[in-house]
Amino acid sequence: MNLKRIFSIIRKEFFQIKRDKRTIAIIIMMPIMELLLFGYAASTSVDHIPTAVYNNDIGIESRDLLDSFVNSQYFDLDYNATSMQEIEEYIDNGNAKAGIVIPPEYSKDLKNGKTAQIQLIVDGSDPTTAQTILSSAGGVVQSMSVEIIKETRGIEMPQVLDLRSRVWYNPNMSSINFNIPGLIGVILQTVTLMLTSFSIVRERERGTMEQLIVTPITKMELMVGKIVPYVIIGFVDIVLALALSVFWFRVPIAGSITLLLLFSVIFLFGSLGVGLVISTVSKSQLQAMQLSMFMIMPNILLSGYMFPIEAMPDIVGKISTVLPLTYFIEVLRGIILKGNGFTQLYQEFIILTLFGLGFLMLATVKFKKKIE
């Protein structure tokens, strides 16, 4: 063991790292950014839950009840419905996670010393949020019951408030039914992004880039030619994943399989486009792998797959809106668990299409048909 030679190798490695500006940026920025983002994102404490209200009662008692829900800080009464159909639409579209229905005789029953009923409808597609809604609503109703008993000065009464809860889409609040659709999206993005992130840089390292450069093929033709085979591979993967989820994990698909496959193909173009952008800006396959991991980790933790977006701070939650996986997971859970159709998912369709076209164009612009 010659220490002088060892120190020479160490010195050489540091010089190589110093010359590689992209690697230095990844080494410094990746742990800082991921710790800051994930430190806030890794939370299951949900509050300010968007809620729809259908109040059929005109008495002050019903308004006091709704004020109690707001004051708990767990519920934001963002939507006033005029029918049960509107409640269903708000929850189907994902605008509201819960619905509160107050019957017309609510105030009258309380004044007559009868048990007043309240209906709580819960979106059970996310078991973590659903459990929070059920426990928080139960706490609000129990606290309200105590207040009513105090106001009546301890007069003997039956059960004051009766909260009737209904959990939609995932009545048993099974974690498998919630996790499997999201996991399909995560796996699909991880596999396709890693594959395409090496495609261009591999040509450079193997020395075959020169052969592509001398051909009359245009940059756009090259990008499309690179992406289409992986779209086909990704399509096969999504079919296999869906078959496994239905026949092995027993997760039924409530909506249209055709619509789900259509969205999957659109998402694949966006995910593969990201991979091509990484491949065009990377100088080596090692760099491509580092950048891929840098992209994959935020998508896993900030897309709503592992932690509810509602539990994240506003700034971190806004980051999730620029991640294609966020919208694809909404599509997967919407179609598989809720049976949503194109009417409920047209916004996700537009966003995913724009993502796909945008990243494909960016990869084309960044690619230079010359040897550097």
Side-chain angles (χ1 to χ4, degrees), residues 84-326:
M84 279 301 298
Q85 184 179 355
E86 282 191 26
I87 291 279
E88 292 179 15
E89 289 174 358
Y90 285 129
I91 297 178
D92 280 344
N93 295 334
N95 296 322
K97 296 293 183 182
I100 299 171
V101 182
I102 302 176
E105 63 277 3
Y106 175 82
S107 295
K108 182 180 177 182
D109 286 343
L110 286 180
K111 290 175 182 177
N112 294 334
K114 297 180 180 179
T115 299
Q117 291 187 351
I118 310 135
Q119 185 177 22
L120 177 69
I121 300 170
V122 182
D123 181 352
S125 58
D126 183 345
T128 301
T129 304
Q131 290 283 5
T132 301
I133 293 170
L134 290 170
S135 60
S136 302
V140 169
V141 169
Q142 185 177 5
S143 177
M144 192 70 182
S145 297
V146 172
E147 289 296 322
I148 293 171
I149 291 173
K150 285 181 180 178
E151 290 175 4
T152 58
R153 299 179 181 178
I155 295 174
E156 288 284 337
M157 294 181 67
Q159 182 183 359
V160 181
L161 298 177
D162 181 17
L163 182 65
R164 302 289 181 92
S165 301
R166 292 174 56 195
V167 180
W168 287 358
Y169 315 125
N170 186 11
N172 297 325
M173 289 187 287
S174 168
S175 59
I176 289 181
N177 287 4
F178 172 72
N179 288 330
I180 291 298
L183 189 58
I184 290 173
V186 169
I187 293 173
L188 191 63
Q189 185 186 57
T190 302
V191 171
T192 53
L193 192 147
M194 292 292 288
L195 285 172
T196 48
S197 63
F198 296 135
S199 60
I200 301 295
V201 71
R202 189 188 299 119
E203 301 278 4
R204 293 196 187 101
E205 291 192 351
R206 291 179 176 175
T208 55
M209 181 60 73
E210 293 88 344
Q211 298 174 13
L212 287 174
I213 289 173
V214 298
T215 64
I217 191 171
T218 65
K219 292 196 294 183
M220 178 59 79
E221 290 169 346
L222 177 61
M223 293 298 109
V224 173
K226 285 284 185 183
I227 210 171
V228 167
Y230 296 111
V231 170
I232 297 171
I233 293 170
F235 186 82
V236 173
D237 283 344
I238 190 69
V239 171
L240 291 174
L242 289 173
L244 192 63
S245 67
V246 171
F247 297 109
W248 183 265
F249 291 104
R250 303 297 179 184
V251 178
I253 300 175
S256 168
I257 296 178
T258 303
L259 183 63
L260 183 54
L261 293 176
L262 171 63
F263 271 100
S264 299
V265 171
I266 295 170
F267 171 72
L268 281 172
F269 273 99
S271 181
L272 293 170
V274 175
L276 283 178
V277 172
I278 291 173
S279 192
T280 54
V281 300
S282 299
K283 300 298 182 184
S284 65
Q285 292 192 58
L286 177 61
Q287 271 189 7
M289 183 179 69
Q290 292 171 332
L291 286 172
S292 296
M293 292 304 300
F294 188 70
M295 291 295 298
I296 289 169
M297 288 302 293
N299 273 278
I300 291 175
L301 294 181
L302 302 182
S303 62
Y305 163 63
M306 293 185 67
F307 306 104
I309 295 176
E310 294 83 5
M312 302 176 191
D314 290 340
I315 295 176
V316 179
K318 284 183 172 59
I319 296 174
S320 68
T321 62
V322 298
L323 302 176
L325 185 59
T326 301

